[in-house]
């Protein structure tokens, strides 16, 4: 198993966001002995729910059977650019458009040279020129070919264009030489293609998530609360588990079941949530405060139900006390931990959130517009803007809360790598 591939992805492709849960993966195979590893790569993608289509160069057919790739992918394998029967099935431009990510494995020196020059003289190179999807290259060749100045120049050109390289690795080469040139293992190529989204990409991280709306009791029957359903925080917890993190979910009351694998800490009030967060924070590598924490609590919580007869006239005065700001408190002691807050705003979203991140001191603020019916409270979708401490923003399109969770976790992963 190699070690270098993930870092290459992070350096070169760290800016792109997560793939969809069931991405379209276009696997382009060129002619090298390492093509024998491609069936395993197809299986890895399929196991994770990806849709896989394969296209190969004429020479690749000598190293791996198109029938094997067709059987494993469940899709016809494309080889020829000009074959009407193949084009009829799915045209080469449609194929290029279809892909959420394009993986070239093995990528020969010849193929990379053509790609660097923009040559499109067969199906594989034409698709590479036509696609706008992220491209991941897994080179494989003799060490001298890899170290040749032409190849070095081509790799530089491709990296500058944002192509992600995974490998090659050092070791015994098929040509009998030793050195750099072995294609990375299928599992490493798979992880590079998925990026941070890969299952297991958060292994070793302990992520603390808060969710739901706190409930501040007035008496044993009544309380002050808000509309939070917990869906956003639970989605973060679920996605973090899927990516291999240890997850502690501190939840105010919701009607949701805790995702399998999380350690659930049930709380009611903001003060209880604060105690629970503080108890878990030190042991964690990241905190995501998705909970809607009440800013105020009744100064007195009656132990017995307040009777109507006790109230004189038509009004009752409720004295409220300010609750501690949990996010600001833990941000002040975070050290190398990553702290993510949310901002529930009904207007001037970005301006308000920029102000908020300054007062909270967290690493990332996820601002959502709670005036929309398809975002914020209770909905299954959310439209968020990421704000960083320097005030820069990234606006995400409307996504499921699970997808928003994935994007938050991508950011956390990136921040963790810089600490
Ligand atoms: O639960 P859902 O129905 O899925 O809805 C999701 C959501 C709208 C609740 C969620 O996306 C969201 O925006 N959560 C934060 C809500 C909130 O309390 O926003 P705020 O702008 O008032 O607070 C800013 C941040 O400070 C939040 O991270 C909050 O958790 C935190 N906070 C607030 C008050 C307080 N006393 N202590 C805190 O830590």
């Amino acid at each position: 198993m190699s070690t270098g591939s993930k870092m290459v992805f992070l350096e070169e492709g760290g800016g792109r966001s997560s793939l969809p849960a069931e991405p379209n993966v276009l696997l382009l195979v060129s002619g090298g002995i390492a093509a024998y590893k491609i069936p395993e790569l197809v299986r890895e993608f399929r196991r994770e729910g990806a849709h896989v289509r394969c296209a190969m160069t004429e020479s690749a057919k000598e190293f791996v059977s198109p029938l094997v790739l067709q059987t494993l992918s469940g899709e016809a394998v494309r080889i020829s650019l000009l074959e009407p029967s193949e084009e009829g099935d799915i045209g080469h431009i449609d194929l290029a458009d279809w892909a959420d990510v394009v993986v070239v494995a093995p990528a020969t020196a010849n193929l990379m040279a053509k790609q660097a020059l923009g040559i499109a003289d067969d199906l594989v190179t034409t698709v590479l020129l036509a696609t706008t999807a992220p491209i991941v290259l897994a080179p494989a060749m003799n060490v001298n070919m890899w170290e040749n100045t032409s190849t070095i120049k081509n790799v530089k050109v491709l990296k500058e264009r944002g192509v992600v390289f995974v490998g090659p690795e050092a070791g015994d080469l098929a040509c009998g030489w030793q050195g750099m040139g072995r294609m990375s293992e299928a599992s490493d190529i798979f992880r590079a293609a998925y990026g941070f989204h890969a299952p297991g990409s958060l292994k070793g991280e302990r992520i603390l998530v808060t969710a739901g709306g706190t409930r501040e009791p007035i008496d044993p029957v009544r309380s002050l609360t808000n509309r939070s359903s917990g869906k956003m925080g639970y989605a973060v917890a679920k996605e973090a588990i899927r990516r291999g993190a240890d997850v502690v979910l501190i939840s105010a009351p919701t009607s949701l079941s805790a995702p399998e694998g999380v350690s659930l800490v049930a709380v009611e009030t903001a003060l209880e949530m604060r105690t629970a967060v503080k108890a878990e924070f030190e042991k964690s590598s990241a905190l995501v405060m998705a909970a809607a924490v009440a800013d105020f609590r009744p100064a007195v919580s009656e132990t017995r139900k307040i009777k109507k007869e006790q109230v004189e006239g038509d009004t009752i005065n409720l004295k409220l006390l300010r609750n501690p700001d949990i996010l600001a408190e833990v941000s002040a002691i975070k050290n190398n931990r990553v702290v993510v807050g949310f901002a529930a705003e009904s207007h001037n979203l970005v301006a308000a959130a920029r102000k908020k991140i300054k007062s909270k001191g967290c690493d990332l603020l996820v601002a959502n517009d709670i005036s929309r019916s398809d975002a914020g409270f209770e909905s299954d979708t959310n439209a968020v803007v990421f704000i960083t401490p320097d005030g820069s923003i990234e606006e995400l399109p409307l996504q499921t809360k699970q997808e928003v969770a994935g994007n938050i976790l991508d950011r956390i992963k990136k921040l963790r790598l810089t600490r």
Side-chain angles (χ1 to χ4, degrees), residues 210-213 226-233 270 289-295 323-328 340-345 356 360 365-366 368 370 376-379 382 401:
T210 68
N226 58 64
R227 286 174 45 213
S228 173
S229 64
K231 285 181 186 173
M232 190 63 248
M289 280 291 301
V293 185
D295 288 318
N323 272 328
D325 189 326
I326 307 168
L327 182 58
V340 178
F342 273 72
E345 307 293 345
K356 201 165 269 181
K360 302 279 184 178
L365 202 67
V366 182
N368 42 201
I370 53 161
F377 291 112
E378 297 166 309
S379 59
N382 208 353
K401 283 186 171 165

Side-chain angles (χ1 to χ4, degrees), residues 91-103:
H92 60 278
I93 298 295
D94 294 333
L95 198 58
D97 287 347
W98 172 84
D100 291 314
V101 61
V102 176
V103 178

Side-chain angles (χ1 to χ4, degrees), residues 42-308:
V42 176
R43 290 168 58 124
E44 290 243 14
F45 281 120
R46 295 277 285 162
R47 268 197 293 268
E48 193 45 37
H51 308 285
V52 180
R53 286 178 192 264
C54 298
M56 57 205 305
T57 61
E58 282 292 340
S59 56
K61 282 193 303 187
E62 307 299 326
F63 298 97
V64 60
S65 149
L67 188 60
V68 170
L69 299 185
Q70 178 169 320
T71 309
L72 292 175
S73 66
E75 296 283 347
V77 173
R78 292 286 318 262
I79 299 167
S80 169
L81 182 59
L82 302 172
E83 176 56 52
S85 61
E86 288 189 13
E87 275 291 290
D89 208 22
I90 176 166
H92 60 278
I93 298 295
D94 294 333
L95 198 58
D97 287 347
W98 172 84
D100 291 314
V101 61
V102 176
V103 178
V104 189
T108 58
N110 179 50
L111 186 88
M112 292 193 304
K114 286 197 213 173
Q115 193 187 353
L117 284 172
I119 292 173
D121 63 352
D122 63 4
L123 177 71
V124 165
T125 48
T126 304
V127 168
L128 279 172
L129 199 59
T131 191
T132 55
I135 299 172
V136 175
L137 281 187
M141 65 197 71
N142 164 272
V143 58
N144 290 345
M145 291 168 83
W146 176 249
E147 289 173 357
N148 187 291
T149 46
S150 302
T151 306
I152 291 171
K153 209 170 105 199
N154 293 332
V155 169
K156 186 167 177 280
V157 167
L158 293 172
K159 282 186 174 180
E160 279 165 6
R161 281 187 213 147
V163 170
V164 173
F165 277 75
V166 48
E169 314 294 334
D172 293 332
L173 306 179
C175 53
W177 284 64
Q178 280 222 325
M180 287 294 274
R182 271 165 64 94
M183 190 175 83
S184 294
E185 294 302 322
S187 54
D188 289 339
I189 301 170
F190 167 81
R191 273 201 292 274
Y194 265 83
F196 307 118
H197 195 65
S201 61
L202 287 175
K203 236 184 171 66
E205 300 290 339
R206 186 176 193 269
I207 300 197
L208 188 55
V209 183
T210 68
T214 61
R215 203 183 269 176
E216 312 296 329
I218 298 168
D219 68 12
V221 185
R222 306 170 183 99
S223 58
L224 294 179
T225 188
N226 58 64
R227 286 174 45 213
S228 173
S229 64
K231 285 181 186 173
M232 190 63 248
Y234 277 57
V236 174
K238 187 174 171 195
E239 184 61 18
I241 285 282
R242 201 188 74 78
R243 295 183 186 200
D246 287 332
V247 179
V248 178
L249 174 61
I250 299 175
S251 181
T254 72
S255 59
L256 304 174
S257 324
E260 207 173 311
V262 306
S263 303
L264 182 72
V265 181
V267 297
E268 290 233 347
T269 66
L271 291 181
E272 286 171 12
M273 183 167 277
R274 178 205 205 193
T275 305
V277 168
K278 290 207 156 167
E280 298 292 339
F281 185 65
E282 210 169 303
K283 295 174 265 173
S284 303
S285 48
L287 164 69
V288 181
M289 280 291 301
V293 185
D295 288 318
F296 298 95
R297 67 183 183 279
V300 179
S301 170
E302 301 291 347
T303 50
R304 303 176 74 176
K305 183 181 173 188
I306 303 168
K307 297 277 189 193
K308 270 181 281 184

